[in-house]
Structure formats: structure tokens, C-alpha cells
Amino acid sequence: MESDITSARPLLKAASRRLYLQLLSGKGTAKVGPDRDELERAGLIAPDPDRPGHVRALDADAVARARQAELIRTAGDMLAEAQVMPHHLADLASAYRAATAGQTVGGVEVLTGLRAINERLEALVNGCTRELLTAQPTGPRPAELLAISYQRDLGVLKRGARMRTIYLPSVRSDAPTGRWALTMTEQGAEIRTGATFGRMIIVDRRAAVVPILDPWSLEASAPDQAAVITSELAVGLAVASFERDWLHAEPWDGASEAELRAVHVAILRCLARGLEQDEVAEELGMSKRTVQGKLADLRAATGCRTQSQLLYWWAKRELQR
């Protein structure tokens, strides 16, 4: 904090500061000149009613607090204006997209570098007016990314757009993500968790941001590359993929009691498909030790001694529902 203050642009020149201190001690006079003008503009001196033709120093702390309050009000007005700016220019942005359609090769814009990706993504999301679809198969998100999401996603919801998000089941045991989910669902967002889905962000069904995948391994070819797809056909395919994954995902509102049940069910479903515990951990985005711990909790709660007994118990329970 100290480095931020000392690196800020000084309010007064050194000569003006010395003149203020001299006036304050009664050892100086404020002759007409640039230093006196600067002190007057800053509100630090005023005519002395007891000595015509002279000036006196005013309370610097009061001046600083008044200026601080003014800057805070200005900053608030600017933030409010920034929040609604994409909405004000939405019609012009739509016209621009229509006029420049086809300028990217095949409706695909390749972005390289995390800064370029984040800036392009921020511009797209800030212009979202109807619907934001996101799928994040990366497990719990870092605190700094959640902090960005609060401001960005709440802005989307305040503009009246619908927002749907899919996460891995592992986020249900992450307290910061749970608080984010609770806040977003209270504001109208819909959140679900699913086991297998691709990473994507779709804005107003007109643009999709996706990783660039190797066609054989289906792994990201480079962590700092992404594609912005604007082809109507390709975006439609991305939306269809999201809707399929959304249909098989389970709703979540951030509540801790629901999260444990959903994680247990996701693990049991994977085991029922024949996956080994390490494969379950990989698919659900959690460690093998976490999977083993969840299964141990389930066995203790149900009285089952083995994994086979646990799967049999779960199968009977599902049939009875």
C-alpha cells in the first residue's frame, strides 16, 4: 500500500508545498505566481479576512478528505457508466458484427496468449444481453478467478440475461465455489455439476470461446490458445453439446448438504460403469484419495463392508425410487 501511495502523481509541486508550510508558520507571504495559483486551485489557501491583501493556509486534512469524497463519487459514477456501456452500444455492436461477418477465416478467430484471450472474453461477456452458457471442467477455481466472476457474472444477470453454468462435482466440496454458486443462484443463475463435458463459453448463441484441441488426443494443443467461433453452424453445434451435457448434469445451489450427496452419486455411477477408482478420480476432477474417502464415508453410513456390497445397496435404492 505504501508503494502505491508514494508512486502516485503528486498533487502539488515541491515549491508549492514549501510555500504552504511557510504560510502556515507565518514566515512567508504568498506573492502572485504559479505556486500561489496552484495552492488556490487545490483549496489550500484563501484570502485572510483579518489582513486585506494577504492569504492564510487552510486545513490540509479537511481539503484532502473533501477531495477524496469527490473522487470516490466520480469513481462510482464512472463504474456505473462502465457497467451499462455495452448495453447502450449493443445495437451498434450487432450492426458491426453483421457488417464484418466473414472476415475471420471460416468464422474462427484464433487467440494466442492469456492476456489476449481474457481481453476478448471480457469484451464478449460484457456485451451479453440474452444468455451466457459456460462449462468449466477444471474443478474448484482459484480465488482470483472467482473474484473476477462475481463482478462479470452479476453484471450479466443484472442486464436480464439468462446464465447457466456446468462444473465438475468436485466443486461441491469447495467452500469458496459454494459461496459463489449460492450468490449466483440467488440472483437467478442456474448451476449444475456433471461428470464429462467440454470446456466452452457461449455468448448469446452468437459466439463460442473454446480451447483448440488436438484432433487425435482431444487434449488442448496449447494452454495459451483459444478460438472464438462465430460461424452460425459451429456455434449451433456447441450449443447442442452444452444442452446435452446440461441435461445429464445435476442442479446445485451451493448448499453443502446437497453437495455431498451429489459427489457420492457421481462416484457410484462411475463405479457402476466399471471404472476403477483412479479412473473415477480422473473423470470427476478429484484425487484418488478423495474418492477413497467418500467411499469410506458411504460404507460407514450404510454398513457395507465392500465396494461390491455398496454398489448392490445403491442399485436397490435406485430401483425403489
Side-chain angles (χ1 to χ4, degrees):
M1 179 64 71
E2 183 178 353
S3 61
D4 292 340
I5 295 175
T6 56
S7 63
R9 180 175 61 85
L11 178 65
L12 300 172
K13 292 183 295 187
S16 301
R17 301 175 74 86
R18 287 195 297 271
L19 177 57
Y20 175 84
L21 294 174
Q22 290 170 1
L23 290 170
L24 192 62
S25 64
K27 297 179 181 179
T29 58
K31 298 179 180 179
V32 175
D35 300 333
R36 172 174 172 167
D37 292 342
E38 187 173 45
L39 289 176
E40 287 180 338
R41 287 194 301 271
L44 287 166
I45 60 174
D48 190 339
D50 298 327
R51 295 189 301 164
H54 291 74
V55 296
R56 61 189 178 91
L58 301 178
D59 184 352
D61 183 60
V63 171
R65 293 186 181 279
R67 179 58 177 160
Q68 180 187 47
E70 180 184 351
L71 289 172
I72 290 174
R73 285 194 299 271
T74 301
D77 293 341
M78 293 178 68
L79 285 173
E81 183 179 356
Q83 188 71 41
V84 300
M85 183 57 67
H87 177 72
H88 287 322
L89 299 182
D91 57 334
L92 300 183
S94 178
Y96 177 84
R97 288 192 298 271
T100 57
Q103 292 185 6
T104 56
V105 179
V108 177
E109 175 188 356
V110 177
L111 301 174
T112 300
L114 295 179
R115 180 175 179 179
I117 295 171
N118 290 333
E119 288 178 351
R120 186 74 171 91
L121 183 60
E122 182 178 2
L124 285 170
V125 174
N126 286 342
C128 178
T129 58
R130 298 182 62 184
E131 183 182 55
L132 179 64
L133 308 176
T134 64
Q136 304 284 356
T138 54
R141 302 174 71 188
E144 58 272 18
L145 293 183
L146 283 175
I148 295 174
S149 291
Y150 274 108
Q151 181 175 359
R152 183 196 68 191
D153 298 338
L154 286 174
V156 170
L157 295 170
K158 287 179 180 178
R159 290 194 294 275
R162 184 185 184 189
M163 175 180 153
R164 288 186 287 160
T165 298
I166 307 176
Y167 278 123
L168 288 175
S170 58
V171 303
R172 291 175 174 262
S173 58
D174 181 64
T177 308
R179 288 191 293 271
W180 173 88
L182 183 61
T183 299
M184 294 303 145
T185 53
E186 288 176 345
Q187 297 301 315
E190 299 171 73
I191 302 170
R192 294 187 179 185
T193 59
T196 307
F197 54 91
R199 183 185 182 94
M200 66 182 70
I201 298 176
I202 304 173
V203 181
D204 288 340
R205 304 203 176 200
R206 60 176 173 79
V209 182
V210 298
I212 299 176
L213 303 179
D214 179 271
W216 297 104
S217 66
L218 297 183
E219 297 290 336
S221 58
D224 63 343
Q225 279 195 326
V228 179
I229 301 172
T230 53
S231 162
E232 184 176 351
L233 175 60
V235 172
L237 291 173
V239 171
S241 175
F242 179 91
E243 295 291 3
R244 179 200 63 211
D245 297 331
W246 179 262
L247 182 64
H248 293 93
E250 297 187 11
W252 182 47
D253 62 359
S256 59
E257 292 182 359
E259 67 191 31
L260 292 179
R261 291 197 298 271
V263 170
H264 290 154
V265 170
I267 292 173
L268 290 170
R269 285 178 176 170
C270 289
L271 293 173
R273 286 163 43 208
L275 298 183
E276 299 295 335
Q277 290 185 8
D278 53 349
E279 295 173 319
V280 173
E282 182 177 356
E283 181 163 316
L284 299 183
M286 59 182 66
S287 68
K288 183 178 179 180
R289 178 175 297 180
T290 299
V291 172
Q292 292 172 336
K294 299 296 184 185
L295 289 173
D297 292 341
L298 274 175
R299 288 196 301 271
T302 59
C304 297
R305 294 191 300 273
T306 67
Q307 182 172 296
S308 297
Q309 288 178 327
L310 184 60
L311 286 172
Y312 177 72
W313 166 84
W314 179 66
K316 286 199 307 180
R317 176 178 175 274
E318 289 297 295
L319 289 173
Q320 294 171 357
R321 293 180 62 179

